[in-house]
């Protein structure tokens, strides 16, 4: 199986390598192993102190290799992106992010009986009994 190493932060390069891999597979050439090398800038979680295992200089080197900046530079060089386009993209991204934040912070309305939905293709006797027990408890508390 052939393999390809690609800069995983370069969207254009990744697209090119994957396009070639798909074309090769469709011609009957089999699979291609694609190794897309990238870097996680931020910590794994807010409890993770990444300074314990990597230097600030390393992170800054990769910050300059940000996938968005690389794509922006490529599109600008090809004459496909100008300042108006950047501004429109930034506004669209912020609108999408604001909408996502709003939806992520909204408390969903949950039906406790959904605990029993989609567990098995056909509910077992025990599951039906448990659902009935919960329904009775909810009705007794006036929540059903």
């Amino acid at each position: 199986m052939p393999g390809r190493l690609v800069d995983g932060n370069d969207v254009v390069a990744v697209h090119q390598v994957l396009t070639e891999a798909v074309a090769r597979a469709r011609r009957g050439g089999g699979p291609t192993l694609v190794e897309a090398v990238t870097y996680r800038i931020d910590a794994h979680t807010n409890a993770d102190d990444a300074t314990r295992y990597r230097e600030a200089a390393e992170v800054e080197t990769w910050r300059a290799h940000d996938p968005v900046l690389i794509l922006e530079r490529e599109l600008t060089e090809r004459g496909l992106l100008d300042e108006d386009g950047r501004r429109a993209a930034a506004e669209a991204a912020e609108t999408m992010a604001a909408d996502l934040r709003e939806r992520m912070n909204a408390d969903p309305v949950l039906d406790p009986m959904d605990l029993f939905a989609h567990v098995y293709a056909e509910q077992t006797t025990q599951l039906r009994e448990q659902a009935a027990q919960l329904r009775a408890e909810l009705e007794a508390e006036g929540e059903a």
Side-chain angles (χ1 to χ4, degrees):
M1 170 180 8
R4 292 289 308 270
L5 179 63
V6 65
D7 178 354
N9 284 8
D10 186 338
V11 177
V12 175
V14 171
H15 183 268
Q16 180 63 38
V17 166
L18 293 177
T19 298
E20 292 168 7
V22 168
R24 182 179 175 282
R26 288 181 175 153
R27 287 190 310 268
T32 302
L33 173 66
V34 175
E35 182 178 1
V37 179
T38 189
Y39 188 85
R40 178 186 40 77
I41 295 288
D42 292 325
H44 284 287
T45 69
N46 59 3
D48 180 28
D49 179 9
T51 61
R52 292 181 301 133
Y53 52 86
R54 60 186 187 184
E55 299 292 323
E58 174 186 337
V59 175
E60 286 310 308
T61 297
W62 279 95
R63 258 187 220 290
H65 205 63
D66 180 299
V68 174
L69 297 177
I70 293 170
L71 181 59
E72 182 178 304
R73 192 168 36 244
E74 178 75 21
L75 293 174
T76 301
E77 288 172 4
R78 291 184 183 197
L80 300 171
L81 182 66
D82 60 13
E83 195 53 43
D84 289 340
R86 273 187 202 84
R87 203 171 7 267
E91 288 172 10
E94 182 50 42
T95 299
M96 180 188 295
D99 176 61
L100 179 60
R101 285 189 297 271
E102 184 177 320
R103 288 185 289 127
M104 294 296 290
N105 288 321
D107 290 331
V109 177
L110 302 174
D111 179 354
M113 297 309 297
D114 284 345
L115 286 169
F116 304 98
H118 314 294
V119 177
Y120 296 104
E122 293 181 32
Q123 283 194 343
T124 64
T125 301
Q126 184 180 20
L127 197 60
R128 283 192 299 274
E129 289 170 357
Q130 290 171 346
Q133 182 180 2
L134 178 59
R135 187 175 295 108
E137 289 176 12
L138 291 172
E139 287 172 358
E141 293 176 12
E143 295 182 27

